[in-house]
Amino acid sequence: MRRRRAGGRTMVERASKFVLVVAGSVCFMLILYQYAGPGLSLGAPGGRAPPDDLDLFPTPDPHYEKKYYFPVRELERSLRFDMKGDDVIVFLHIQKTGGTTFGRHLVQNVRLEVPCDCRPGQKKCTCYRPNRRETWLFSRFSTGWSCGLHADWTELTNCVPGVLDRRDSAALRTPRKFYYITLLRDPVSRYLSEWRHVQRGATWKTSLHMCDGRTPTPEELPPCYEGTDWSGCTLQEFMECPYNLANNRQVRMLADLSLVGCYNLSFIPEGKRAQLLLESAKKNLRGMAFFGLTEFQRKTQYLFERTFNLKFIRPFMQYNSTRAGGVEVDEDTIRRIEELNDLDMQLYDYAKDLFQQRYQYKRQLERREQRLRSREERLLHRAKEALPREDADEPGRVPTEDYMSHIEKW
């Protein structure tokens, strides 16, 4: 009896140790997964494309204080973009806002049924619809500068329909629907970036600035420099030119310039002109299908994907930089740039608040939907468990050998 009891205790001890080892291994694997799992890129060849369920996007700031009131209709941006129909995305590219990078994302980084055809050595890609040879994207890297170099809102809205009608005459049977998009950037950083670009020789002098059917006269838009370009100009010289289009560029390029007499500064008083431009830019920005902010790349990617129901292959990268774009300037110079770009400062403050509210709204809505789905799945699982289990032997069971033998005896 003692031997049996001793043997029983040994078996129990061995079984207990085995259970402890298994439990410890499971706990270790769970801890390891918590640290390593989120960074894994399972099923992503070459690590280029993250899995669909990997959450790359930042959590909304719960302490964010809203500055402006926007109704729900201004926060909802779930469009039924029909790539196989007649819908067209129009990208308004404002200088030095990161538009070149974003433009390349549109033609090279969107997961499409028929990807854009981008060939080495060519500046433009062919972005056809899946069902016909007709473009769904109007941008620098798809259609080129068809409405002029860095065409603004006034130019694009009056030019794009005609350009596409000439390109795709077969589409004249149905009207197109245009979805305008753009990017904005912190005005001081953008201004300094433009100055450095001009300092290196950029001019954009081939821009048309078309408004009300004509381009501005030399008197309405005098040049800031003599010669072929303004290369080598100092920041002070850049700021001192009263005709510098870098000043409040974002407001000017988003506003309806027809409201203020285009580039005719004597059309209405300066104060009234500034107010009309700012309000028009805000209105047009709200009415756009989408806009992003250079300082928030991941959130920009998130909102674009949810707005158009399109997915990017690779995540956007956020390149951290100082507010002055790498240029060392003193506080007095910063304040002077802010004064020169007062309208842009107001617009950016407004746009940033709208952008953050849209992001928070989308994330909260998405999480609410996820909670509802999880709750429905739990309820369904409980309902299945609560159903009575039918005895598999009752209906139409096959008689056993014992039963048959009893019958033979009877």
Side-chain angles (χ1 to χ4, degrees), residues 51-68:
D52 292 335
D53 59 348
L54 183 60
D55 194 354
L56 298 167
F57 308 106
T59 303
D61 182 5
H63 305 294
Y64 179 76
E65 295 183 4
K66 301 175 182 179
K67 295 183 179 180
Y68 301 91

Side-chain angles (χ1 to χ4, degrees), residues 138 189 196 202 214 266 287 293 331 337 344 370 373 379 396:
F138 192 99
S189 297
R196 295 184 70 182
R214 69 177 183 86
S266 62
L293 299 181
E331 289 300 321
I337 293 174
D344 271 12
Q370 289 175 352
R373 282 196 299 268
L379 290 175

Side-chain angles (χ1 to χ4, degrees), residues 244-260:
N244 195 343
L245 292 179
N247 300 341
N248 294 313
R249 181 180 287 280
Q250 296 180 102
V251 165
R252 178 181 59 80
M253 292 188 67
L254 289 175
D256 182 358
L257 298 181
S258 300
L259 298 175
V260 295

Side-chain angles (χ1 to χ4, degrees), residues 248 251 274-275 277-278 338 341-348:
N248 294 313
V251 165
Q275 190 62 33
L277 285 174
L278 180 59
E338 290 175 346
N341 293 273
D342 179 60
L343 298 182
D344 271 12
M345 296 294 292
Q346 295 182 61
L347 176 66
Y348 187 78

